[in-house]
Amino acid sequence: MDATATINTAADTAQAEAKTVFADVNDRAKTAMEKGSKMIADLNEFSKGNLEAVVESSKIAAKGAEDIARYTSDYVRTTVEKANATASQFASIKSPTEFFKLQSELTKQAIDSMMAETAKFTEGYVKLLGEIAQPISNRVAVAVEKVKVAA
């Protein structure tokens, strides 16, 4: 075999191997780009879901604030009405015995009312906080699930 033929054969072999290597690199780069694009799309979708959860939580909080304001307004109005009624009762007292009896009854009612209203308000507030946190909690669950799948 002459030198030219050997060089040509070596060049053809090198060219074929280079084509194979570059084709493999090209395929790997293409696969990496596709995976990267999918990861970016998934990340965008996940971020969109997070934003939607925050918006939903904000809506729940705003409605809860409205409900609390309405409840507080109603409570203040009712309290003022009770105070007026109490003043009328005290105005009609004719003896110290009646005064102490009425004062004792009203004090007991006030304490019972305060305990009931405090329990009612606390229960409602805790429920509202749970409702506000729920959309975000759901997103955390999705994130944990994605981490489990990725691992």
Side-chain angles (χ1 to χ4, degrees):
M1 196 183 227
D2 69 349
T4 305
T6 302
I7 291 172
N8 285 339
T9 302
D12 289 343
T13 302
Q15 186 178 11
E17 287 177 8
K19 282 183 180 178
T20 302
V21 168
F22 283 121
D24 186 46
V25 168
N26 189 29
D27 286 345
R28 287 183 185 193
K30 185 177 178 182
T31 301
M33 288 293 289
E34 288 170 355
K35 285 182 181 178
S37 294
K38 181 164 178 7
M39 272 182 30
I40 290 171
D42 289 347
L43 182 61
N44 284 340
E45 185 65 29
F46 184 73
S47 296
K48 180 182 173 190
N50 290 346
L51 181 61
E52 288 171 353
V54 169
V55 168
E56 182 64 25
S57 288
S58 297
K59 286 179 183 178
I60 292 169
K63 184 181 179 324
E66 285 178 19
D67 291 346
I68 289 171
R70 189 177 317 107
Y71 173 82
T72 303
S73 176
D74 291 346
Y75 182 73
V76 167
R77 183 179 34 76
T78 302
T79 302
V80 168
E81 289 171 359
K82 285 181 184 177
N84 288 337
T86 300
S88 295
Q89 287 177 311
F90 275 108
S92 68
I93 290 178
K94 298 192 182 354
S95 72
T97 305
E98 286 180 44
F99 173 80
F100 288 115
K101 182 179 177 188
L102 180 60
Q103 182 180 19
S104 175
E105 289 173 7
L106 292 175
T107 301
K108 182 183 180 315
Q109 288 174 2
I111 291 171
D112 290 345
S113 175
M114 181 187 74
M115 296 300 285
E117 289 299 322
T118 300
K120 183 179 175 182
F121 184 78
T122 301
E123 180 182 320
Y125 198 70
V126 168
K127 181 181 178 216
L128 174 62
L129 291 176
E131 290 171 357
I132 291 169
Q134 190 60 50
I136 294 171
S137 177
N138 291 345
R139 292 308 299 168
V140 170
V142 168
V144 167
E145 190 60 35
K146 286 187 179 291
V147 169
K148 283 181 185 178
V149 169

